[in-house]
Amino acid sequence: MLKKPQTALDQYKNKRGGTIDQELTWAGRLWYFKHWRGIRLTALTAILAVAYVVLQPEPVETVNLTYDIDLTDADRGTLTITMIAEGNLPDYLDLEFPTGIFGDTGNGVRPHDPSGRALGADGEMGVPLAVEETDFGWRLATQQVSRAGFIYRIDLDRVPGSEQDIRRHISTPVAGGLRAAGFEIFLEPRGMEVRDITVSMHNPTGMPVLVPWPALVKGKDLIAERRRQLATNSGEASLGLGQGFKPGVGLEPATRIKNPMDTAASVPSNLLYHPRDMADLNNSLIICGNIRSLESRARDTVIQYATDQTWLFADEAALELIRRIARTEMGFFGNSPTDQITVLLSANEVTSDDGFDVYGVHTGSSVLVMLDPETTWGMLEEQAASVIAHEMFHSWLGEAIPQSDPQMLWFTEGATTWYASRMLVSAGIWPPEHARGLLGARLERDYANNSLLGKMSVAAAAAEVMADAEQVRFGYAGGVNACIALDEMLARATGTVRPMDEIMRKLYEDRARGGLTREMLLETILEVTGVECGVWLDTHVYGKTALPPSNQLI
Ligand SMILES: [Zn+2]
C-alpha cells in the first residue's frame, strides 16, 4: 500500500468522520461559522484508499469492540471507560487517543490511568497486560490474547483552553452529569478492521441519560440477549462491565416529561447503542445529568428534545418548533438519514465579550444549541430557530452527503444557510419578509461590502476554516450568494423553478458516493439540468469575479 507520512492532524482528519459547526445567530453582531472537523480525504488519497481496498487482501486483524461507559462519577465530570477488544488480536494493540476537535491532544480531553487485562472466553479476568505510552496513545501487549479489556479515565472538568473556545463547551460537565462527544472520549484501535461496535452504559445511580443514535438497540429480544451476554461476563465486574446494568432504568426518572403530543407508541430506549462504524461512534453525543427530554415523531423519525435548563418558554413549545423544522427538512429531502434527531438546548456559558449569542454544533444526528438562559420564546423563534434549522440541515448536507473537501465548504455552508432560511419559511416559522430581510442584510454586509470582494475567491475564503472572522464571513456569505445565483442561472437556462432543490435531492439520493467534490456537484447539476457549469464556478466561486447580490432570496 502506498503510504505517505502523516501528521497527527492528518491522521485525525483521515480517520474521524462528521462535522462540527459553530455559528452565531442571524441577529448577532457577527456572522461566524467554524468547521473543526469533517476534512478527511483529499481526492487523491480517496483514490489511493479505493485502490487499497480493491488490491489488498482481507486484513487479517478484525476485532469486535465494546465500550462500557461507567457513569458512576459522571456527576463529577469523570467517566471510566472499559474498552473490550476481541477477535484476531495482534501482538500489540495500538490504541489511539481520542484526538478531540483539532487532533491536538495537548489541548483537549485527555484520558489517563490506563490498565489492561486479558479476559477469558467466559468473561473471567486473566493476567494484567502491559501498557506502554506511545506518541499517539497507548500500546497494549496482547500476545496470545483473544480478548482484552482496557480501562481508562477521562475528566471533562479539566479540559484546557480559553473560555470562549467552543471546544471546551461541547464535552463538559453539566448540571448533575456531563455531555461528551464520541470523538473526545473513545480510544480507537489503530490499523485494524473493526467489525462490530457496541456501547453500553453503566448507570448505577439511575441518572437520566440520553442514549445517542445511531442504532439504538431496540426490541426486547436484543436487550434480553445483551443482558444475558453481560450476565455471563460477570467476571469482568471489576472492569466496570455489567454492574447494575438495567436497560431502561435510567430513562424513567421523575424528570422525564410525558409528552402530550406524542401520539405514537413510546420509543424503546435503553442503555445500549450500536454504532454502525467508527465514524458513528465518534459522532455520538452522550448526555446525562439533570436533563428533561420530550419525544415526538415526524414520519418514522423520532424527534427528541432535551434540555438541562429552565427556560422562559415551555418545553412542549420548543419540541413542537423542532418537530416542525425536522418535518419540513425531511419533507424536502423525502426522508431522514437517521431514525432519530436529537436537539439539546443548553445554556451558553461563553461569557466573554467576543463570544456569540447562540452557538450551534452538530455531530451525527445530534444538534447542540447553546443559548442565553434569558432567551424568550420570541427570540427562540426569530433567532435561535435558524441555528437549529441550520445544524439540522447538516444531517443531510454535511453528514449524509459528507463534507470532506475544504474546497466544497462554500457549497455545504452556503446551501445549508440558504436552505435553513427557506425551511423556516416553509415550516411557517418565519414570515418570508423576515427571512428576506435577514438574508439580504447579511449578503449586503458580509459579501457585497466585504473588503475581500474581488480580491479573494469565495471558495478559497470558505476553505480556510481557521481564517479571521472577516474572511470566514466573506466565504460563507459568498457561498450563500453563489448558491442562489447558481440556482437563478440554472432556472433561466432550463425554465424550471428552483432547480437547485432537485440537485440537492439528487446529491442526497446518491450519497453513497462519499465525500462531496466539485466534480460530483458538476456531474449532478449536469444530470439534473443538462447544464455544464464548470466555467461558471471557475469564474464566480473559484475565481474572483464578483456576483451581484441575489434578489430571489426566498
Ligand atoms: Zn454549518
Side-chain angles (χ1 to χ4, degrees):
M1 178 198 175
L2 284 163
K3 229 177 170 181
K4 59 172 189 169
Q6 290 184 313
T7 63
L9 183 56
D10 286 335
Q11 287 159 8
Y12 168 74
K13 286 171 179 173
N14 285 343
K15 284 196 68 153
R16 308 251 166 174
T19 313
I20 284 279
D21 172 298
Q22 156 186 339
E23 72 168 307
L24 174 70
T25 172
W26 287 90
R29 285 170 290 124
L30 295 166
W31 176 37
Y32 185 75
F33 292 84
K34 289 272 182 192
H35 270 261
W36 315 125
R37 304 163 61 227
I39 303 161
R40 277 176 295 180
L41 297 168
T42 62
L44 178 62
T45 43
I47 291 163
L48 292 177
V50 168
Y52 172 72
V53 168
V54 170
L55 301 174
Q56 206 66 11
E58 278 277 286
V60 186
E61 284 104 10
T62 56
V63 288
N64 294 334
L65 298 177
T66 302
Y67 295 88
D68 184 82
I69 305 175
D70 187 342
L71 300 177
T72 304
D73 297 325
D75 58 349
R76 293 192 288 278
T78 298
L79 293 174
T80 303
I81 299 181
T82 304
M83 194 196 95
I84 294 182
E86 49 198 323
N88 301 322
L89 303 185
D91 287 352
Y92 294 97
L93 206 55
D94 279 327
L95 302 173
E96 197 170 306
F97 280 152
T99 42
I101 296 164
F102 285 114
D104 174 4
T105 51
N107 192 14
V109 179
R110 194 169 176 87
H112 58 90
D113 285 351
S115 65
R117 281 274 186 173
L119 299 173
D122 51 356
E124 80 276 11
M125 279 222 283
V127 293
L129 301 176
V131 180
E132 197 185 305
E133 185 145 3
T134 62
D135 289 345
F136 49 82
W138 287 304
R139 170 170 281 189
L140 181 66
T142 46
Q143 292 100 327
Q144 321 224 310
V145 173
S146 60
R147 198 153 183 260
F150 187 82
I151 314 174
Y152 58 100
R153 281 168 76 84
I154 285 178
D155 296 315
L156 295 178
D157 59 344
R158 290 190 213 152
V159 182
S162 68
E163 202 272 329
Q164 70 266 39
D165 185 338
I166 193 65
R167 290 177 296 170
R168 287 185 58 204
H169 301 277
I170 299 171
S171 296
T172 181
V174 298
L178 52 79
R179 65 173 178 256
F183 58 83
E184 298 208 85
I185 63 168
F186 293 120
L187 284 174
E188 276 186 28
R190 204 185 234 203
M192 315 205 69
E193 186 187 301
V194 176
R195 225 171 10 205
D196 185 71
I197 309 165
T198 302
V199 181
S200 66
M201 289 192 228
H202 171 52
N203 183 20
T205 58
M207 65 168 61
V209 178
L210 282 193
V211 181
W213 199 87
L216 280 172
V217 177
K218 286 179 181 170
K220 287 187 186 121
D221 292 349
L222 276 170
I223 295 167
E225 171 57 25
R226 189 63 199 165
R227 287 183 83 169
R228 260 197 306 280
Q229 284 177 14
L230 288 166
T232 56
N233 293 344
S234 56
E236 293 156 17
S238 60
L239 283 173
L241 237 197
Q243 291 176 357
F245 180 78
K246 290 178 189 136
V249 162
L251 295 171
E252 302 298 335
T255 47
R256 191 169 179 85
I257 301 161
K258 177 92 185 87
N259 175 17
M261 287 171 297
D262 188 359
T263 51
S266 70
V267 179
S269 302
N270 54 63
L271 298 180
L272 276 180
Y273 70 103
H274 201 73
R276 293 168 301 189
D277 51 27
M278 295 311 280
D280 272 354
L281 180 77
N282 289 319
N283 272 337
S284 54
L285 189 65
I286 292 153
I287 304 155
C288 65
N290 301 338
I291 45 172
R292 306 186 303 279
S293 68
L294 285 178
E295 279 169 4
S296 184
R297 278 176 184 265
R299 302 191 190 183
D300 292 336
T301 300
V302 175
I303 310 299
Q304 191 175 44
Y305 158 81
T307 189
D308 52 11
Q309 286 290 309
T310 303
W311 299 100
L312 299 175
F313 47 83
D315 289 332
E316 288 78 5
L319 173 68
E320 179 57 11
L321 178 79
I322 290 161
R323 193 186 66 85
R324 283 165 72 189
I325 295 170
R327 190 182 56 188
T328 307
E329 295 190 354
M330 286 168 60
F332 175 78
F333 282 104
N335 59 41
S336 166
T338 58
D339 57 17
Q340 178 179 316
I341 294 172
T342 299
V343 176
L344 174 71
L345 296 190
S346 202
N348 180 5
E349 281 159 358
V350 183
T351 52
S352 64
D353 288 344
D354 45 354
F356 303 119
D357 298 343
V358 181
Y359 287 91
V361 166
H362 70 99
T363 179
S365 65
S366 299
V367 171
L368 167 64
V369 178
M370 290 181 269
L371 303 168
D372 184 331
E374 299 301 309
T375 299
T376 61
W377 174 249
M379 289 155 77
L380 188 72
E381 270 192 315
E382 278 169 34
Q383 301 165 21
S386 74
V387 182
I388 298 170
H390 179 106
E391 299 302 332
M392 201 187 285
F393 200 85
H394 276 314
S395 302
W396 287 269
L397 184 60
E399 301 267 1
I401 307 163
Q403 161 64 48
S404 52
D405 177 359
Q407 292 297 318
M408 289 306 290
L409 271 170
W410 70 271
F411 181 77
T412 301
E413 287 308 329
T416 298
T417 303
W418 182 39
Y419 276 98
S421 296
R422 290 182 52 204
M423 294 296 124
L424 289 172
V425 172
S426 300
I429 295 165
W430 277 6
E433 318 78 68
H434 182 69
R436 263 185 224 113
L438 283 173
L439 269 179
R442 203 149 161 184
L443 293 185
E444 188 71 21
R445 184 190 59 193
D446 295 338
Y447 178 71
N449 292 329
N450 196 301
S451 63
L452 293 171
L453 187 70
K455 295 190 189 129
M456 186 180 228
S457 77
V458 164
E464 282 186 70
V465 294
M466 295 310 292
D468 60 77
E470 181 84 349
Q471 180 181 329
V472 172
R473 289 199 302 271
F474 177 69
Y476 288 62
V480 174
N481 198 48
C483 288
I484 303 174
L486 182 59
D487 181 67
E488 286 173 7
M489 185 273 280
L490 293 170
R492 279 194 302 274
T494 58
T496 55
V497 179
R498 292 283 184 225
M500 191 58 85
D501 293 2
E502 213 44 59
I503 292 162
M504 295 297 296
R505 287 189 275 264
K506 182 72 178 147
L507 285 170
Y508 176 58
E509 196 184 307
D510 295 345
R511 59 192 177 277
R513 292 183 299 180
L516 183 63
T517 60
R518 179 199 144 107
E519 292 66 38
M520 222 182 264
L521 178 63
L522 285 175
E523 275 168 28
T524 307
I525 294 172
L526 185 63
E527 213 176 312
V528 173
T529 65
V531 178
E532 168 57 69
C533 37
V535 174
W536 190 95
L537 287 189
D538 278 338
T539 308
H540 297 297
V541 177
Y542 296 94
K544 297 173 190 167
T545 307
L547 285 161
S550 302
N551 308 316
Q552 301 290 315
L553 301 178
I554 294 299

